[in-house]
Amino acid sequence: SKTKMIVEDCPTLYADENSHKVYGYKVVEAADGYEAVEKSVQHQPDFILMDLGLPVMDGATATGIIRGIEGFETSESLR
């Protein structure tokens, strides 16, 4: 199945994880930009939904770092 990563420091702002599973996605969660970078390397998600206003490292910075990782260079971003 495909993997979706949701990066959000306030999890009540996005839909219930189970709703994503209905569409066949495995869901990985991260609470800040630093964790998003680490989990991107670990899980190689097919889709990342990134909050821009995150603690530790903001979403724009994390997106830039993730795009520099081999395999993510041409990924589309959704903000």
Side-chain angles (χ1 to χ4, degrees), residues 5 7 30-41 48-69 72 77 79:
M5 182 163 63
V7 188
D32 60 58
Y34 183 81
E35 186 178 7
V37 172
E38 287 186 327
K39 289 190 174 184
S40 291
V41 172
I48 301 172
L49 181 62
M50 179 84 70
D51 178 13
L52 294 178
L54 295 166
V56 183
M57 178 189 300
D58 66 73
T61 301
T63 297
I65 292 170
I66 291 167
R67 283 187 163 182
I69 298 170
F72 286 98
S77 66
R79 299 180 189 193

Short mmCIF file of all heavy atoms in Angstrom, two decimals, residues 5 7 30-41 48-69 72 77 79:
data_model
loop_
_atom_site.label_atom_id
_atom_site.label_comp_id
_atom_site.label_asym_id
_atom_site.label_seq_id
_atom_site.Cartn_x
_atom_site.Cartn_y
_atom_site.Cartn_z
N MET A 5 2.36 10.66 4.78
CA MET A 5 2.85 11.21 6.03
C MET A 5 2.12 12.53 6.29
O MET A 5 2.04 13.39 5.41
CB MET A 5 4.36 11.46 6.00
CG MET A 5 4.86 11.99 7.34
SD MET A 5 6.63 11.87 7.60
CE MET A 5 7.26 12.91 6.32
N VAL A 7 2.24 15.77 8.68
CA VAL A 7 3.12 16.50 9.59
C VAL A 7 2.31 17.66 10.17
O VAL A 7 2.01 18.63 9.48
CB VAL A 7 4.38 17.02 8.86
CG1 VAL A 7 5.36 17.61 9.87
CG2 VAL A 7 5.04 15.90 8.06
N ALA A 30 4.09 12.84 11.98
CA ALA A 30 5.23 13.56 12.56
C ALA A 30 4.68 14.84 13.17
O ALA A 30 3.74 15.43 12.65
CB ALA A 30 6.27 13.87 11.50
N ALA A 31 5.29 15.28 14.28
CA ALA A 31 4.78 16.44 15.01
C ALA A 31 5.59 17.71 14.78
O ALA A 31 5.20 18.78 15.21
CB ALA A 31 4.72 16.13 16.50
N ASP A 32 6.74 17.59 14.10
CA ASP A 32 7.54 18.78 13.81
C ASP A 32 8.39 18.52 12.56
O ASP A 32 8.44 17.40 12.06
CB ASP A 32 8.42 19.18 15.00
CG ASP A 32 9.40 18.09 15.42
OD1 ASP A 32 10.23 17.66 14.58
OD2 ASP A 32 9.36 17.68 16.59
N GLY A 33 9.02 19.56 12.06
CA GLY A 33 9.79 19.44 10.83
C GLY A 33 10.97 18.49 10.93
O GLY A 33 11.28 17.74 10.00
N TYR A 34 11.65 18.50 12.06
CA TYR A 34 12.79 17.61 12.25
C TYR A 34 12.35 16.15 12.18
O TYR A 34 12.97 15.33 11.50
CB TYR A 34 13.46 17.91 13.61
CG TYR A 34 14.69 17.08 13.86
CD1 TYR A 34 15.92 17.43 13.30
CD2 TYR A 34 14.63 15.93 14.64
CE1 TYR A 34 17.05 16.67 13.52
CE2 TYR A 34 15.76 15.17 14.87
CZ TYR A 34 16.96 15.54 14.30
OH TYR A 34 18.08 14.76 14.51
N GLU A 35 11.26 15.84 12.86
CA GLU A 35 10.73 14.48 12.84
C GLU A 35 10.27 14.10 11.42
O GLU A 35 10.41 12.96 10.99
CB GLU A 35 9.57 14.36 13.83
CG GLU A 35 9.04 12.97 14.00
CD GLU A 35 7.91 12.88 15.02
OE1 GLU A 35 7.42 13.92 15.52
OE2 GLU A 35 7.50 11.75 15.32
N ALA A 36 9.74 15.07 10.68
CA ALA A 36 9.30 14.82 9.30
C ALA A 36 10.47 14.40 8.41
O ALA A 36 10.36 13.49 7.60
CB ALA A 36 8.63 16.06 8.72
N VAL A 37 11.60 15.08 8.58
CA VAL A 37 12.80 14.72 7.80
C VAL A 37 13.24 13.31 8.14
O VAL A 37 13.49 12.49 7.26
CB VAL A 37 13.93 15.75 8.03
CG1 VAL A 37 15.22 15.28 7.38
CG2 VAL A 37 13.53 17.13 7.51
N GLU A 38 13.33 13.01 9.43
CA GLU A 38 13.74 11.67 9.87
C GLU A 38 12.80 10.58 9.33
O GLU A 38 13.25 9.57 8.81
CB GLU A 38 13.77 11.59 11.40
CG GLU A 38 14.92 12.31 12.04
CD GLU A 38 14.96 12.06 13.53
OE1 GLU A 38 13.90 11.91 14.17
OE2 GLU A 38 16.08 12.01 14.06
N LYS A 39 11.49 10.81 9.45
CA LYS A 39 10.53 9.80 9.02
C LYS A 39 10.44 9.69 7.50
O LYS A 39 10.08 8.64 6.97
CB LYS A 39 9.17 10.07 9.65
CG LYS A 39 9.17 9.76 11.14
CD LYS A 39 7.79 9.80 11.73
CE LYS A 39 7.84 9.34 13.19
NZ LYS A 39 6.50 9.27 13.78
N SER A 40 10.77 10.77 6.78
CA SER A 40 10.81 10.70 5.32
C SER A 40 11.89 9.73 4.86
O SER A 40 11.67 8.93 3.95
CB SER A 40 11.07 12.09 4.71
OG SER A 40 9.98 12.93 4.92
N VAL A 41 13.03 9.80 5.50
CA VAL A 41 14.12 8.88 5.18
C VAL A 41 13.74 7.45 5.54
O VAL A 41 13.94 6.52 4.77
CB VAL A 41 15.42 9.30 5.92
CG1 VAL A 41 16.50 8.25 5.75
CG2 VAL A 41 15.90 10.66 5.42
N ILE A 48 3.14 13.63 1.25
CA ILE A 48 3.38 14.32 2.52
C ILE A 48 2.48 15.54 2.60
O ILE A 48 2.50 16.39 1.71
CB ILE A 48 4.85 14.76 2.66
CG1 ILE A 48 5.80 13.57 2.58
CG2 ILE A 48 5.05 15.51 3.99
CD1 ILE A 48 7.27 13.94 2.53
N LEU A 49 1.68 15.60 3.66
CA LEU A 49 0.87 16.77 3.95
C LEU A 49 1.57 17.50 5.09
O LEU A 49 1.66 16.99 6.20
CB LEU A 49 -0.55 16.35 4.36
CG LEU A 49 -1.52 17.47 4.68
CD1 LEU A 49 -1.75 18.35 3.46
CD2 LEU A 49 -2.83 16.89 5.17
N MET A 50 2.13 18.69 4.78
CA MET A 50 3.02 19.38 5.71
C MET A 50 2.42 20.69 6.19
O MET A 50 2.09 21.57 5.39
CB MET A 50 4.35 19.67 4.99
CG MET A 50 5.39 20.41 5.79
SD MET A 50 6.40 19.38 6.87
CE MET A 50 7.38 18.48 5.67
N ASP A 51 2.30 20.84 7.50
CA ASP A 51 1.95 22.12 8.12
C ASP A 51 3.19 23.01 8.00
O ASP A 51 4.32 22.54 8.13
CB ASP A 51 1.59 21.87 9.59
CG ASP A 51 1.25 23.14 10.36
OD1 ASP A 51 1.04 24.19 9.73
OD2 ASP A 51 1.18 23.06 11.60
N LEU A 52 3.01 24.30 7.74
CA LEU A 52 4.16 25.19 7.63
C LEU A 52 4.59 25.76 8.97
O LEU A 52 5.76 26.04 9.18
CB LEU A 52 3.86 26.33 6.65
CG LEU A 52 3.68 25.89 5.21
CD1 LEU A 52 3.35 27.08 4.33
CD2 LEU A 52 4.91 25.18 4.69
N GLY A 53 3.66 25.93 9.90
CA GLY A 53 3.97 26.50 11.20
C GLY A 53 4.20 25.43 12.25
O GLY A 53 3.31 25.14 13.03
N LEU A 54 5.39 24.85 12.23
CA LEU A 54 5.71 23.74 13.14
C LEU A 54 6.78 24.14 14.15
O LEU A 54 7.61 25.00 13.86
CB LEU A 54 6.25 22.55 12.34
CG LEU A 54 5.29 21.89 11.36
CD1 LEU A 54 6.05 20.97 10.41
CD2 LEU A 54 4.24 21.11 12.12
N PRO A 55 6.79 23.50 15.32
CA PRO A 55 7.88 23.74 16.27
C PRO A 55 9.15 23.02 15.82
O PRO A 55 9.12 22.21 14.90
CB PRO A 55 7.34 23.12 17.57
CG PRO A 55 6.39 22.06 17.13
CD PRO A 55 5.79 22.56 15.83
N VAL A 56 10.25 23.34 16.44
CA VAL A 56 11.58 22.76 16.22
C VAL A 56 12.13 23.15 14.84
O VAL A 56 13.18 23.77 14.75
CB VAL A 56 11.61 21.22 16.40
CG1 VAL A 56 13.03 20.68 16.22
CG2 VAL A 56 11.04 20.81 17.75
N MET A 57 11.45 22.80 13.77
CA MET A 57 11.82 23.18 12.41
C MET A 57 10.52 23.42 11.64
O MET A 57 9.65 22.56 11.63
CB MET A 57 12.63 22.06 11.74
CG MET A 57 13.02 22.34 10.31
SD MET A 57 13.75 20.90 9.46
CE MET A 57 15.16 20.55 10.48
N ASP A 58 10.41 24.57 10.97
CA ASP A 58 9.17 24.87 10.27
C ASP A 58 9.01 24.00 9.02
O ASP A 58 9.96 23.39 8.54
CB ASP A 58 9.08 26.36 9.91
CG ASP A 58 10.13 26.78 8.90
OD1 ASP A 58 10.00 26.42 7.72
OD2 ASP A 58 11.07 27.50 9.29
N GLY A 59 7.78 23.95 8.52
CA GLY A 59 7.46 23.07 7.41
C GLY A 59 8.17 23.43 6.11
O GLY A 59 8.53 22.54 5.33
N ALA A 60 8.39 24.71 5.86
CA ALA A 60 9.07 25.13 4.63
C ALA A 60 10.53 24.66 4.64
O ALA A 60 11.04 24.15 3.63
CB ALA A 60 9.00 26.64 4.47
N THR A 61 11.19 24.79 5.78
CA THR A 61 12.57 24.33 5.90
C THR A 61 12.65 22.81 5.76
O THR A 61 13.49 22.28 5.04
CB THR A 61 13.17 24.76 7.25
OG1 THR A 61 13.12 26.18 7.34
CG2 THR A 61 14.60 24.29 7.41
N ALA A 62 11.74 22.11 6.43
CA ALA A 62 11.72 20.64 6.34
C ALA A 62 11.46 20.19 4.90
O ALA A 62 12.11 19.26 4.42
CB ALA A 62 10.64 20.08 7.27
N THR A 63 10.55 20.87 4.20
CA THR A 63 10.26 20.51 2.80
C THR A 63 11.51 20.68 1.95
O THR A 63 11.83 19.83 1.12
CB THR A 63 9.11 21.38 2.25
OG1 THR A 63 7.93 21.11 3.01
CG2 THR A 63 8.84 21.08 0.79
N GLY A 64 12.25 21.76 2.15
CA GLY A 64 13.48 21.99 1.41
C GLY A 64 14.52 20.89 1.65
O GLY A 64 15.17 20.41 0.72
N ILE A 65 14.64 20.47 2.90
CA ILE A 65 15.59 19.40 3.24
C ILE A 65 15.13 18.08 2.62
O ILE A 65 15.94 17.35 2.03
CB ILE A 65 15.75 19.28 4.77
CG1 ILE A 65 16.45 20.53 5.31
CG2 ILE A 65 16.53 18.01 5.14
CD1 ILE A 65 16.45 20.64 6.82
N ILE A 66 13.85 17.78 2.73
CA ILE A 66 13.31 16.53 2.18
C ILE A 66 13.52 16.49 0.66
O ILE A 66 13.90 15.46 0.11
CB ILE A 66 11.83 16.35 2.56
CG1 ILE A 66 11.72 16.09 4.06
CG2 ILE A 66 11.20 15.20 1.77
CD1 ILE A 66 10.31 16.19 4.62
N ARG A 67 13.30 17.61 0.00
CA ARG A 67 13.52 17.65 -1.46
C ARG A 67 14.97 17.39 -1.85
O ARG A 67 15.25 16.98 -2.97
CB ARG A 67 13.07 18.99 -2.02
CG ARG A 67 11.58 19.09 -2.14
CD ARG A 67 11.22 20.34 -2.85
NE ARG A 67 9.85 20.25 -3.31
CZ ARG A 67 9.26 21.18 -3.99
NH1 ARG A 67 9.91 22.27 -4.31
NH2 ARG A 67 8.01 21.03 -4.37
N GLY A 68 15.89 17.63 -0.93
CA GLY A 68 17.31 17.37 -1.18
C GLY A 68 17.70 15.92 -0.97
O GLY A 68 18.81 15.52 -1.32
N ILE A 69 16.82 15.12 -0.42
CA ILE A 69 17.10 13.71 -0.17
C ILE A 69 16.90 12.93 -1.47
O ILE A 69 15.92 13.16 -2.18
CB ILE A 69 16.16 13.15 0.93
CG1 ILE A 69 16.41 13.88 2.26
CG2 ILE A 69 16.35 11.64 1.10
CD1 ILE A 69 15.38 13.58 3.33
N PHE A 72 13.53 12.19 -3.58
CA PHE A 72 12.49 13.19 -3.35
C PHE A 72 12.69 14.44 -4.20
O PHE A 72 11.91 15.38 -4.12
CB PHE A 72 12.45 13.61 -1.88
CG PHE A 72 11.87 12.58 -0.96
CD1 PHE A 72 12.70 11.75 -0.24
CD2 PHE A 72 10.50 12.45 -0.80
CE1 PHE A 72 12.18 10.78 0.61
CE2 PHE A 72 9.97 11.51 0.05
CZ PHE A 72 10.81 10.68 0.77
N SER A 77 5.00 19.25 -3.90
CA SER A 77 4.69 19.59 -2.51
C SER A 77 3.31 20.16 -2.40
O SER A 77 2.83 20.84 -3.31
CB SER A 77 5.72 20.57 -1.94
OG SER A 77 5.64 21.81 -2.59
N ARG A 79 1.07 22.40 0.31
CA ARG A 79 1.14 23.19 1.54
C ARG A 79 -0.22 23.64 1.95
O ARG A 79 -1.04 23.94 1.18
CB ARG A 79 2.04 24.39 1.35
CG ARG A 79 3.45 24.00 1.00
CD ARG A 79 4.27 25.21 0.83
NE ARG A 79 5.56 24.83 0.29
CZ ARG A 79 6.58 25.63 0.25
NH1 ARG A 79 6.48 26.84 0.71
NH2 ARG A 79 7.72 25.24 -0.24
#
